[in-house]
C-alpha cells in the first residue's frame, strides 16, 4: 500500500521522527509551537495497524486519501456516519446476536483484532505532550488541533477544569496538567476556555496545590522548582533485594514510574526556559512566582486530589530525606551509582519493549530520561517519540491518550468467547472473522521470557499474551488466560486450523501456573512481592492500592476457568498441579465474597463486574444457585440490585467508596449484561428477571446492530476510571448468546 507508506513517512518527517531528522535539527533551540487550526478534516484520518501496533495518520495529500480509503472502523472511531442499512429487527436473542455481530464484524481490523479508544484517565496526554515539548519534538499541527478539541470537549461543563478521569470532578492534577498541555499545543491564554479553567485553578489555590505527579511534570518543564517535589531517590534501587521496601517488590506500574522519575529527580533536570514557560509561571499560580516558597509547599495539596493522603510515616521519611539524607549523606559516589543503575534499568525496560514501555506514563518519562542522557539526536529518543504515537487515538471529540498502547489481545479474546457462547463458532457465516482473530492471537503470543529476566525483576512470560500486543510484552494473568481460552475454543472447533501447537499451549499454561498466590488467588502482572503495609509509602496521593499487587476475583476467575477448559482437552499435563490450583482458587473466591453477597471489582465497575466473574468461577466447578450457598448469595445480591426496567446500573463511585452506588443515568447495557451472565452461569432458577434484562439489551440495540456508548465501564487503582468501548459489544453479545443457548425456546419479545 503505497499511499499508506508515504503517509507514514510524511508523518515521520513532520513528527521529527528518526528517518529524516538529524541531530542538528533537533538542536534547534527555538521550540516552535504548532500551527493550530479550528479543526482537522475528519475524512483525512486513517488508523493503521501493523503487527498490532496502532497509529493514526492524517493524510494531507488528496491523492493519498483516494489511495487509502477510510474504512468503516476509521469512520466509526471518528464518529462519522456509517450509513449502514437497517437489519431485519431481531425477534429473539440469537437474531440480536447475529445483528450485533454483523455490526461488530465491520470494526474488526484487517489483522484480525479489535481496537478502540481506551481513554478515561486525564493525566496521560499531558505526559506525552510534555515529553515531546521538552525533547523538542513538538506535535504536528493536526495532532495539536485535535488535542485542543478533545481537551476543550472534556473540560468540566460547570467549572471548566479537568478531573483525574473523564467523569470525575475537577482536580488540580487534571486542571494544571491539561491547562499546560493546551498552552504547549498552542492555545492562547486569553481563550475563553483557558480563562475559565484558570479561574477554577486559582480558586482551588493555584498549582502549588497540585499532587506529586503534577508537581513533577511542571518542574521538568521549569514551571516549578525541584524543592516542591517530594523526594524520589534512585538510591532506593541500590537496596539489597532482601530489604522489605526494595522497589522490585512494588507493583510494576509504580516501580516503572518511580524509575525514570527518580532518575530525573536525581539529575534535577529541567527543560530549557522558553517564553511560554515564563508565561505559564505567571498563569498557573495565585501568588507572585518569584516569591513562592517551593520547599514549604511540598505537601500542599487540594482535597479533591487527596484520595490517599500520605501517611505520617511517609511525611516523616520525606522530611528526613530532604533535611538530613540529601544534604549530609547523599554523596556523589552514591548518586552516581544510583543513577547508573537506574539508567541501566531504564535501558532494559526500553529494550524489552522496543521503546513502547509498560504504559504511557513511564513511556513519556523514559523518553525524557533518554533525551537527558543520550542527547537530542539519539536513537533512543527518536524511537521513543515514534512509539509514543501508538498511545494516541482520535475520536469524534479529538485526540486523546489511551491507557495502554491498545486493547488488542484482550478485546479479541472476548469477541471470540461471545461467539462461542452463542453457539455460533461452527456457523460458516462467522468463520472468516474468527479465523482472522485466531491468526492474530497466534501472531501475538509471546514466545520467550525477557532477556535478563531476573536482573530487571520481570515475571516469566513465555507462552503468554499481553493486554495489548507482544511489543509491549507484559504478561498479565488474566490476559494470558482469556487469550488462551479463546485459542483453545477455536482450535477445538471442527474446521479451524491448529495454528498454535500443543507445546505453545503448554508454555502458556506453565506461565499461568506461576501466577497463584499462597492464598489461592491471582494478581495481575506478578505474584505479590510484599504486603499491603507497603501502602505507607504511597506517595502519589491520587490513587489507592498502588504499591503492591493485590488479589483479584477477576484475574483468579480467568486463570481458573481457562485451566478447567485446558484440563478437559489435555487431562495429562501437570494434572495434580492444575487440580490443586483450581481447588485453592475456588476456596479463595469464596473467602473473598463480601457479606452482602457481591464481590468487589478492581478493573471493571464494580460489584456487578466482579460478581459476574466470581459466579463464573463457582459454576466452572459445578457450584450453582441450587447447591452452593456462595452462588445463591451472589445471585441474591445481583437480583436485589436489578432496576424496575430490568437493567443494572452501577456508578464508578462504588469503586471509590466500596459500596454499591447506582449510576445517575439509569440502567447500563454493559452492566446489565454482566449481571445476566453471572445469573445465567449460576443457573438462577427464576427466568423472569433474566428475561427482563435480556429484553432491555435487545431494546437498546440500534437498527444497524450496534449498541451506543453509555457510562464508563472500567477502573484502576480504585479512583481512576477508564473506558472499554468494545465491552458494549462483547458482553451484551455474550449475555444474549448464553441466554439463547440455555433457553432456546423462550420468547422474550
Ligand atoms: C490495565 C488494563 C487492563 C487490566 C485488566 C487486564 C482488565 C485487568 O484484569 C488486570 C490489570 C490490567 C492489565 C490493567 C492494569 C493497570 C493499567 C495498565 C490498566 C487499567 C490500563 C491503564 C492502567 C495503568 C496503570 C495506567 C497508568 C497509570 C499509572 C498509575 C501508572
Amino acid at each position: 500500500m503505497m499511499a499508506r507508506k508515504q503517509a507514514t513517512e510524511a508523518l515521520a518527517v513532520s513528527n521529527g521522527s528518526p528517518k529524516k531528522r538529524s541531530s542538528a535539527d533537533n538542536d534547534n533551540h527555538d521550540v516552535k509551537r504548532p500551527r493550530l487550526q479550528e479543526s482537522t478534516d475528519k475524512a483525512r484520518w486513517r488508523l493503521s495497524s501493523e503487527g498490532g501496533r496502532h497509529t493514526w495518520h492524517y493524510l494531507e495529500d488528496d491523492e493519498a486519501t483516494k489511495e487509502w480509503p477510510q474504512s468503516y472502523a476509521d469512520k466509526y472511531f471518528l464518529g462519522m456516519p456509517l450509513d449502514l442499512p437497517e437489519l431485519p429487527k431481531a425477534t429473539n436473542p440469537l437474531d440480536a446476536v447475529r445483528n450485533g455481530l454483523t455490526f461488530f464484524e465491520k470494526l474488526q481490523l484487517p489483522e484480525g483484532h479489535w481496537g478502540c479508544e481506551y481513554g478515561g484517565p486525564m493525566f496521560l496526554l499531558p505526559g506525552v505532550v510534555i515529553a515531546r515539548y521538552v525533547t523538542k519534538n513538538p506535535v504536528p499541527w493536526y495532532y495539536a488541533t485535535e488535542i485542543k478539541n478533545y481537551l476543550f470537549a472534556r473540560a468540566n461543563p460547570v467549572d471548566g477544569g479537568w478531573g483525574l478521569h473523564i467523569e470525575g470532578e475537577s482536580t488540580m492534577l487534571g486542571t494544571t496538567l491539561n491547562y499546560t498541555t493546551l498552552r504547549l499545543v498552542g492555545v492562547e491564554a486569553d481563550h475563553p476556555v483557558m480563562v475559565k479553567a484558570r479561574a477554577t485553578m486559582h480558586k482551588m489555590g493555584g498549582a502549588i496545590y497540585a499532587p506529586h505527579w503534577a508537581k513533577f511534570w511542571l518542574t521538568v518543564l521549569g514551571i516549578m522548582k525541584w524543592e516542591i517535589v517530594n523526594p524520589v531517590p534512585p538510591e532506593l534501587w541500590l537496596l539489597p533485594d532482601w530489604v522489605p521496601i526494595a522497589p522490585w517488590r512494588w507493583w510494576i506500574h509504580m516501580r516503572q514510574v518511580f524509575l525514570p522519575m527518580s532518575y530525573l529527580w536525581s539529575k534535577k533536570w529541567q527543560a530549557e526556559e522558553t517564553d511560554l514557560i515564563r508565561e505559564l509561571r505567571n498563569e498557573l499560580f495565585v501568588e507572585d512566582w518569584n516569591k513562592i516558597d517551593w520547599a514549604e509547599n511540598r505537601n500542599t495539596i487540594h482535597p479533591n486530589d487527596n484520595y490517599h493522603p500520605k501517611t505520617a510515616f511517609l511525611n516523616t521519611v520525606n522530611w528526613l530525606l530532604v533535611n538530613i539524607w540529601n544534604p549530609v549523606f547523599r554523596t556523589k559516589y552514591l548518586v552516581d551509582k544510583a543513577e547508573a543503575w537506574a539508567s541501566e534499568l531504564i535501558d532494559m525496560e526500553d529494550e524489552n519493549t522496543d521503546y513502547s514501555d509498560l504504559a504511557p506514563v513511564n513511556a513519556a518519562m523514559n523518553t525524557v530520561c533518554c533525551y537527558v542522557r543520550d542527547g537530542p539526536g539519539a536513537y533512543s529518543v527518536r524511537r521513543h517519540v515514534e512509539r509514543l504515537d501508538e498511545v494516541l487515538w482520535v475520536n469524534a471529540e479529538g485526540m486523546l491518550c489511551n491507557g495502554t498502547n491498545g486493547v488488542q489481545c484482550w478485546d479479541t479474546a472476548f469477541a471470540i468467547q461471545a461467539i462461542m457462547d452463542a453457539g455460533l463458532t461452527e456457523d460458516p457465516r462467522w468463520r472468516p472473522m474468527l479465523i482472522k482473530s485466531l491468526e492474530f492471537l497466534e501472531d501475538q503470543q509471546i514466545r520467550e521470557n525477557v532477556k535478563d529476566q531476573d536482573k530487571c525483576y520481570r515475571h516469566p512470560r513465555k507462552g503468554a499474551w499481553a493486554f495489548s500486543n507482544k511489543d509491549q510484552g507484559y504478561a498479565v494473568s488474566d490476559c494470558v488466560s482469556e487469550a488462551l481460552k479463546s485459542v483453545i475454543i477455536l482450535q477445538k472447533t471442527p474446521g479451524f486450523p491448529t495454528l498454535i501447537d500443543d507445546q505453545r499451549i503448554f508454555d502458556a499454561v506453565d506461565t499461568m501456573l506461576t501466577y497463584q498466590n499462597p492464598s489461592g488467588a491471582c494478581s495481575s502482572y506478578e505474584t505479590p512481592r510484599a504486603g499491603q503495609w507497603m501502602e505507607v509509602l504511597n506517595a502519589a496521593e491520587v490513587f489507592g492500592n498502588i504499591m503492591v499487587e493485590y488479589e483479584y476475583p477477576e484475574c483468579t476467575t480467568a486463570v481458573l476457568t481457562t485451566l478447567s477448559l485446558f484440563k478437559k482437552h489435555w487431562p495429562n499435563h501437570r494434572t495434580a498441579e492444575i487440580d490443586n490450583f483450581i481447588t485453592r482458587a475456588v476456596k479463595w473466591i469464596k473467602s473473598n465474597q463480601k457479606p452482602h453477597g457481591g464481590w468487589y471489582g478492581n478493573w471493571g465497575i464494580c460489584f456487578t463486574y466482579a460478581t459476574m466473574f466470581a459466579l463464573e468461577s463457582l459454576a466452572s466447578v459445578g457450584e450453582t444457585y441450587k447447591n452452593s450457598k456462595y452462588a445463591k448469595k451472589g445471585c441474591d445480591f445481583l437480583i436485589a440490585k436489578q432496576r424496575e426496567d430490568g437493567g443494572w446500573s452501577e456508578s464508578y463511585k462504588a469503586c471509590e467508596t466500596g459500596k454499591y452506588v447506582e449510576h445517575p443515568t439509569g440502567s447500563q447495557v454493559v452492566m446489565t449484561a454482566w449481571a445476566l451472565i453471572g445469573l445465567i452461569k449460576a443457573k438462577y432458577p427464576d427466568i423472569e428477571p433474566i428475561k427482563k434484562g435480556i429484553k432491555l439489551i435487545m431494546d437498546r440495540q440500534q437498527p444497524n446492530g450496534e449498541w451506543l456508548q453509555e457510562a464508563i465501564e472500567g477502573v484502576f487503582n480504585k479512583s481512576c476510571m477508564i473506558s472499554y468501548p468494545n465491552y458494549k459489544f462483547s458482553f451484551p453479545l455474550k449475555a444474549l448468546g448464553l441466554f439463547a443457548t440455555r433457553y432456546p425456546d423462550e420468547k422474550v419479545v
Side-chain angles (χ1 to χ4, degrees):
M1 240 226 199
M2 218 32 218
R4 184 173 307 204
K5 195 161 168 277
Q6 277 160 7
T8 317
E9 276 165 13
L11 182 83
V13 174
S14 59
N15 277 354
S17 111
K19 290 155 195 120
K20 300 268 160 71
R21 203 161 199 170
S22 71
S23 95
D25 287 337
N26 271 315
D27 265 341
N28 178 357
H29 283 244
D30 167 27
V31 181
K32 284 201 199 72
R33 293 170 74 196
R35 185 163 48 92
L36 211 55
Q37 308 276 315
E38 192 64 31
S39 178
T40 62
D41 175 1
K42 284 274 157 81
R44 292 181 184 275
W45 285 102
R46 307 286 185 273
L47 174 70
S48 113
S49 175
E50 282 170 31
R53 292 178 288 270
H54 291 167
T55 40
W56 279 92
H57 302 261
Y58 191 70
L59 309 181
E60 293 189 81
D61 168 21
D62 287 343
E63 261 322 291
T65 58
K66 281 186 210 127
E67 271 189 53
W68 182 2
Q70 250 177 343
S71 66
Y72 278 119
D74 292 333
K75 289 187 192 166
Y76 175 79
F77 298 138
L78 293 160
M80 298 164 71
L82 299 185
D83 300 323
L84 290 170
E86 286 197 7
L87 300 169
K89 190 158 172 45
T91 51
N92 61 59
L94 199 57
D95 282 345
V97 172
R98 291 200 178 95
N99 284 354
L101 285 176
T102 304
F103 185 87
F104 201 34
E105 188 183 34
K106 300 221 158 39
L107 304 187
Q108 188 181 31
L109 297 169
E111 291 184 317
H113 62 285
W114 279 264
C116 63
E117 88 167 70
Y118 190 40
M122 289 303 287
F123 59 95
L124 301 174
L125 188 57
V128 175
V129 173
I130 293 170
R132 292 189 61 139
Y133 184 83
V134 303
T135 62
K136 303 197 180 113
N137 287 286
V139 294
W141 73 268
Y142 37 87
Y143 280 22
T145 298
E146 291 305 338
I147 287 173
K148 170 206 66 165
N149 288 342
Y150 181 76
L151 292 181
F152 279 10
R154 284 293 161 184
N156 183 303
V158 178
D159 63 27
W162 291 269
L164 174 64
H165 57 91
I166 52 175
E167 290 198 12
E169 61 190 345
S170 295
T171 59
M172 285 312 267
L173 180 76
T175 307
T176 55
L177 288 182
N178 288 302
Y179 180 94
T180 303
T181 303
L182 281 166
R183 296 285 282 124
L184 298 184
V185 300
V187 181
E188 297 301 336
D190 59 3
H191 191 289
V193 173
M194 305 302 274
V195 174
K196 189 171 171 190
R198 203 160 57 236
T200 291
M201 191 157 60
H202 287 185
K203 213 157 94 202
M204 291 169 82
I208 59 167
Y209 282 83
H212 189 231
W213 285 19
K215 283 179 169 137
F216 168 82
W217 274 127
L218 295 174
T219 302
V220 165
L221 274 168
I223 298 170
M224 289 185 166
K225 295 200 173 166
W226 278 108
E227 290 77 32
I228 202 171
V229 181
N230 268 319
V232 200
E235 300 85 282
L236 280 186
W237 287 105
L238 298 177
L239 290 172
D241 284 355
W242 58 263
V243 176
I245 61 156
W248 73 275
R249 299 174 185 274
W250 303 359
W251 189 43
I252 187 118
H253 280 282
M254 272 316 102
R255 65 176 196 262
Q256 290 294 16
V257 170
F258 178 84
L259 177 66
M261 238 187 192
S262 70
Y263 185 80
L264 294 171
W265 175 86
S266 186
K267 294 270 181 211
K268 302 288 179 298
W269 187 82
Q270 291 194 292
E272 189 181 289
E273 195 174 305
T274 60
D275 286 345
L276 177 59
I277 297 302
R278 278 187 286 272
E279 286 168 31
L280 281 163
R281 288 177 185 164
N282 279 326
E283 293 163 32
L284 293 189
F285 303 93
V286 175
E287 49 285 270
D288 177 355
W289 190 82
N290 292 301
K291 299 209 177 106
I292 295 175
D293 185 341
W294 302 100
E296 263 306 293
N297 287 295
R298 270 192 302 115
N299 294 314
T300 308
I301 178 161
H302 192 273
N304 287 10
D305 292 78
N306 213 5
Y307 179 76
H308 186 285
K310 291 189 293 295
T311 56
F313 176 76
L314 181 58
N315 284 330
T316 312
V317 170
N318 280 336
W319 188 92
L320 291 171
L321 287 170
V322 170
N323 296 296
I324 302 186
W325 175 258
N326 295 344
V328 183
F329 296 105
R330 221 175 166 257
T331 59
K332 182 165 176 337
Y333 170 78
L334 202 62
V335 171
D336 287 348
K337 208 167 156 198
E339 285 179 2
W341 178 222
S343 165
E344 198 177 334
L345 285 168
I346 291 171
D347 278 343
M348 282 190 260
E349 161 75 347
D350 287 345
E351 196 187 320
N352 287 332
T353 58
D354 188 11
Y355 298 87
S356 297
D357 296 338
L358 173 62
V361 184
N362 83 319
M365 290 180 185
N366 281 14
T367 306
V368 182
C369 291
C370 289
Y371 179 82
V372 172
R373 189 192 58 193
D374 305 338
Y379 173 79
S380 58
V381 181
R382 291 179 285 139
R383 185 71 181 140
H384 262 304
V385 172
E386 202 170 57
R387 302 232 71 178
L388 277 179
D389 280 354
E390 293 171 34
V391 293
L392 298 175
W393 191 268
V394 195
N395 74 7
E397 292 172 329
M399 180 174 252
L400 61 129
C401 180
N402 283 343
T404 55
N405 60 340
V407 295
Q408 296 85 326
C409 292
W410 182 252
D411 277 357
T412 304
F414 281 117
I416 295 172
Q417 289 174 33
I419 301 170
M420 192 277 291
D421 283 321
L424 294 176
T425 37
E426 289 189 58
D427 183 341
R429 167 68 184 86
W430 312 110
R431 178 139 322 152
M433 166 165 84
L434 287 171
I435 295 230
K436 271 201 282 175
S437 39
L438 177 61
E439 282 166 357
F440 180 75
L441 289 181
E442 187 280 320
D443 179 58
Q444 291 296 314
Q445 189 183 21
I446 300 165
R447 307 292 289 276
E448 293 301 336
N449 289 330
V450 297
K451 205 173 107 202
D452 297 328
Q453 172 179 288
D454 295 337
K455 190 172 174 195
C456 56
Y457 313 114
R458 289 283 299 266
H459 193 84
R461 60 169 203 175
K462 187 170 178 183
W465 281 266
F467 178 73
S468 56
N469 60 21
K470 68 178 176 201
D471 275 22
Q472 189 258 10
Y474 272 89
V476 186
S477 64
D478 55 353
C479 300
V480 190
S481 307
E482 300 295 0
L484 181 66
K485 198 188 280 172
S486 303
V487 167
I488 296 177
I489 289 166
L490 289 184
Q491 294 199 158
K492 293 293 171 191
T493 302
F496 280 85
T498 299
L499 301 182
I500 300 189
D501 63 24
D502 282 5
Q503 187 50 52
R504 285 171 64 183
I505 289 187
F506 297 159
D507 289 345
V509 167
D510 293 348
T511 290
M512 281 160 61
L513 287 171
T514 65
Y515 274 108
Q516 194 165 38
N517 305 330
S519 67
C522 295
S523 305
S524 57
Y525 297 80
E526 292 156 353
T527 45
R529 297 172 175 189
Q532 181 165 14
W533 55 265
M534 192 79 88
E535 293 299 332
V536 297
L537 295 180
N538 176 350
E541 295 136 340
V542 292
F543 306 112
N545 282 8
I546 54 168
M547 292 304 292
V548 285
E549 281 277 7
Y550 289 89
E551 308 190 311
Y552 308 118
E554 304 96 308
C555 297
T556 310
T557 299
V559 186
L560 154 69
T561 50
T562 305
L563 287 177
S564 303
L565 176 70
F566 168 81
K567 206 177 96 155
K568 284 191 194 124
H569 296 286
W570 291 271
N572 300 323
H573 183 79
R574 299 183 70 175
T575 320
E577 283 154 277
I578 290 176
D579 287 343
N580 185 31
F581 190 112
I582 293 174
T583 312
R584 290 170 56 220
V586 173
K587 204 164 149 223
W588 180 82
I589 291 276
K590 290 178 178 170
S591 73
N592 190 246
Q593 187 169 29
K594 303 289 165 221
H596 56 41
W599 280 261
Y600 178 86
N602 299 272
W603 308 110
I605 299 170
C606 174
F607 292 99
T608 324
Y609 183 67
T611 304
M612 163 183 73
F613 281 106
L615 289 175
E616 202 178 338
S617 268
L618 295 173
S620 76
V621 292
E623 292 205 26
T624 57
Y625 188 90
K626 273 219 180 91
N627 62 8
S628 156
K629 64 176 188 201
Y630 301 97
K632 178 177 181 308
K633 223 173 152 193
C635 291
D636 292 343
F637 168 79
L638 288 176
I639 290 291
K641 303 294 178 205
Q642 189 172 26
R643 295 160 57 87
E644 220 8 69
D645 61 4
W648 277 260
S649 151
E650 212 182 335
S651 156
Y652 73 83
K653 293 273 177 204
C655 308
E656 288 178 359
T657 60
K659 294 199 178 67
Y660 191 97
V661 184
E662 292 261 344
H663 198 279
T665 60
S667 294
Q668 311 286 317
V669 164
V670 172
M671 253 151 227
T672 303
W674 290 340
L676 293 173
I677 293 166
L679 291 169
I680 298 175
K681 291 256 169 183
K683 302 202 170 112
Y684 186 67
D686 180 2
I687 194 178
E688 288 314 314
I690 299 181
K691 269 167 79 172
K692 252 179 114 179
I694 291 288
K695 183 165 178 332
L696 180 128
I697 293 181
M698 286 176 69
D699 287 347
R700 296 252 177 117
Q701 191 171 30
Q702 304 298 301
N704 63 6
E706 72 173 313
W707 284 273
L708 302 179
Q709 184 62 39
E710 298 174 342
I712 203 157
E713 306 86 353
V715 60
F716 59 92
N717 303 141
K718 288 180 173 247
S719 60
C720 193
M721 306 307 134
I722 186 156
S723 311
Y724 285 81
N726 282 334
Y727 282 4
K728 64 178 171 292
F729 298 106
S730 46
F731 288 103
L733 289 171
K734 184 176 171 121
L736 293 167
L738 279 175
F739 184 90
T741 47
R742 185 75 46 95
Y743 311 101
D745 304 322
E746 274 300 326
K747 295 241 167 336
V748 178
V749 282

